[in-house]
Amino acid sequence: MNIREIPIEEFDYNLPDERIAKHPLAERDKCLLLVKDAEGGLSTHVFNELPSLLPADSMLVYNNTRVINARLRFRKGEEADGAQIEIFCLEPVDPVDYASSFASDGCCSWTCFVGNSKRWRNGLLYMPVTINGKSFTLSALRIGRAGNTSIVKFLWNDSSVTFSEIISAVGEIPIPPYLNRGTEESDKNDYQTVFSHIDGSVAAPTAGLHFTPEVLDMIDRRHIPRRELTLHVGAGTFQPVKSDVIGEHDMHSEFIAVDRNLIAELASTDRRIIAVGTTSVRTLESLYHLGCRLSQGLPADVLPQWYPYEASHPQLSVAEAMEAILAHLDSRKEHTFIASTRLMIAPGYEYKMVKGMVTNFHQPCSTLLLLVSAFLSQKNASPTWCDIYNYALADSRYRFLSYGDACLFL
């Protein structure tokens, strides 16, 4: 079957609401870990056993992105006493660079979702802000539209305060909609990984939520290298595939950034790459295909979602693809490779970089479940994603989605 003709209904399953974890465990590394070994066997462990379960020749790669307080609640009227309008920041427009946008000291523009949008046809929205004892007003002006999103310009009259400081003070952590609850004080810590330090995501790379300093220390003691990269998770990660076949789904775009030193290491390592989370998987696999595009003289600022499946795709080795990126960086005198990816990974995809993954249990009919299924079904291997999810659903201890339990697939 053509990959674009795969029916999404094949990736549906019944997930009772009571199996969705509304909060994490008090000790995040005490969650369950379902392990599928290289021979296809399934077993249940506790997450803090992960270091002993990783192959000795592994390299662990995780996403260092940090979730921003992306949800801002404005009101109409200069006294900020009118209708409430919720603005959900998605990605920067001006400046387009994340770090520059967060460092802005007077204005910046972002692509946003706007709640209660019909009540805001034009004009400014207002929000009173107090930071370090100084009070000022944050304003929002809609300057454009793009599909179901808006381009919003934020303005404030205190140049001593950055946009990062503002959203940290008055924004809210945007927890997943399927939790069916409001953001709580505990989410400020619970919904960040212990290795997060690059601001930009509107959703956490949730497989990383289970790691603790103690688990990382045990991995180090086994001399398994730990490496990091960046993918800023977008709101599209929550969007189920609504079309009947996956070929009609428009894959969302996400920002990636990878240090030159890691790319050079990937070009030469004989270690097995174990990716923490689907975001790390997506970044690593995108790197390979972006290197292939560079080898063809094609633009590598954005990876189109169906590029890996095109007949003209060159079948390079991983080393050749990484060397193409390194040559690109050298020609531009840059140390970090930055791009956006719209990569769709679905059954029929051939993994190039990743030999194992740590991941959570995902929503029915989601692109994340397609990605996992593609990994599990390589060379018609078993068990399938359905076998694994049925195994977990049959055990009442397993908890699902962002704050739920984890899997290790080798």
Side-chain angles (χ1 to χ4, degrees):
M1 179 185 293
N2 184 309
I3 191 168
R4 301 192 193 202
E5 297 174 356
I6 295 175
I8 193 59
E9 66 181 11
E10 294 182 0
F11 301 88
D12 196 7
Y13 70 96
N14 180 40
L15 178 59
D17 184 68
E18 62 268 20
R19 300 300 296 273
I20 299 174
K22 299 300 194 290
H23 297 87
L25 297 181
E27 297 179 80
R28 56 173 73 192
D29 62 0
K30 295 296 178 62
C31 71
L32 295 183
L33 178 67
L34 191 160
V35 177
K36 184 204 78 71
D37 61 34
E39 287 71 45
L42 300 179
S43 55
T44 297
H45 300 261
V46 177
F47 191 84
N48 59 16
E49 298 176 60
L50 175 72
S52 65
L53 297 167
L54 294 173
D57 62 347
S58 297
M59 176 192 292
L60 200 69
V61 181
Y62 50 74
N63 188 359
N64 62 16
T65 190
R66 184 169 180 81
V67 184
I68 63 173
N69 291 3
R71 182 174 282 118
L72 301 168
R73 301 183 190 274
F74 285 84
R75 288 194 177 273
K76 296 178 68 175
E78 291 191 38
E79 301 301 320
D81 56 359
Q84 180 172 281
I85 308 295
E86 181 180 296
I87 295 180
F88 190 118
C89 298
L90 297 176
E91 59 182 6
V93 174
D94 183 22
V96 69
D97 174 70
Y98 278 84
S100 298
S101 187
F102 289 129
S104 297
D105 58 4
C107 67
C108 60
S109 300
W110 281 63
T111 299
C112 303
F113 286 138
V114 177
N116 202 12
S117 182
K118 292 180 180 179
R119 302 291 299 275
W120 183 32
R121 288 191 170 86
N122 50 55
L124 287 166
L125 301 178
Y126 300 91
M127 180 194 300
V129 179
T130 299
I131 297 177
N132 297 327
K134 294 188 296 183
S135 296
F136 56 94
T137 299
L138 175 68
S139 304
L141 177 68
R142 180 152 49 194
I143 60 175
R145 297 176 186 265
N148 64 342
T149 62
S150 297
I151 309 300
V152 177
K153 185 173 185 177
F154 299 102
L155 308 101
W156 59 101
N157 54 5
D158 188 333
S159 61
S160 69
V161 179
T162 66
F163 188 61
S164 176
E165 291 173 311
I166 291 172
I167 62 173
S168 295
V170 299
E172 298 176 17
I173 285 281
I175 61 171
Y178 47 66
L179 294 184
N180 293 318
R181 65 171 177 81
T183 301
E184 300 172 5
E185 185 67 23
S186 59
D187 292 311
K188 292 181 180 179
N189 178 68
D190 291 342
Y191 203 54
Q192 301 284 8
T193 67
V194 295
F195 35 70
S196 66
H197 62 95
I198 305 294
D199 286 345
S201 281
V202 301
T206 54
L209 294 179
H210 311 293
F211 286 82
T212 61
E214 292 76 19
V215 169
L216 296 177
D217 184 58
M218 286 189 284
I219 292 170
D220 291 343
R221 290 205 300 269
R222 288 202 62 206
H223 304 291
I224 293 174
R226 295 188 285 116
R227 302 291 183 262
E228 60 183 51
L229 42 70
T230 304
L231 179 145
H232 289 325
V233 188
T237 193
F238 295 131
Q239 299 300 315
V241 179
K242 296 180 179 179
S243 55
D244 291 335
V245 295
I246 67 172
E248 295 174 5
H249 179 74
D250 187 25
M251 195 68 181
H252 57 286
S253 176
E254 292 175 315
F255 169 96
I256 64 173
V258 185
D259 185 86
R260 187 192 195 284
N261 291 338
L262 176 56
I263 296 169
E265 189 171 10
L266 293 171
S268 60
T269 187
D270 55 2
R271 287 184 171 273
R272 283 188 274 186
I273 307 302
I274 310 296
V276 176
T278 56
T279 62
S280 297
V281 171
R282 198 159 178 243
T283 305
L284 288 163
E285 294 297 316
S286 294
L287 269 186
Y288 171 81
H289 298 293
L290 289 163
C292 289
R293 286 179 67 81
L294 286 167
S295 77
Q296 293 179 293
L298 297 173
D301 54 333
V302 179
L303 177 62
Q305 72 182 78
W306 299 113
Y307 173 74
Y309 310 97
E310 295 176 0
S312 60
H313 187 292
Q315 296 303 309
L316 303 184
S317 67
V318 169
E320 289 170 332
M322 296 304 103
E323 290 295 342
I325 297 176
L326 293 172
H328 170 76
L329 289 174
D330 290 344
S331 70
R332 298 162 68 100
K333 295 181 171 58
E334 294 174 347
H335 201 271
T336 302
F337 182 66
I338 294 174
S340 293
T341 180
R342 297 183 62 237
L343 175 62
M344 167 73 86
I345 298 179
Y349 177 85
E350 181 183 349
Y351 275 79
K352 298 294 187 178
M353 305 283 288
V354 174
K355 303 303 181 186
M357 71 174 74
V358 179
T359 189
N360 281 15
F361 293 96
H362 303 293
Q363 288 179 281
C365 299
S366 64
T367 57
L368 306 182
L369 190 52
L370 289 170
L371 179 153
V372 167
S373 176
F375 184 81
L376 295 169
S377 62
Q378 293 177 98
K379 301 178 182 177
N380 298 314
S382 62
T384 66
W385 77 267
C386 199
D387 296 328
I388 290 171
Y389 276 54
N390 284 337
Y391 177 97
L393 286 166
D395 186 335
S396 62
R397 296 175 299 165
Y398 276 99
R399 305 156 74 244
F400 282 66
L401 306 187
S402 295
Y403 280 147
D405 296 312
C407 303
L408 171 63
F409 299 143
L410 298 171

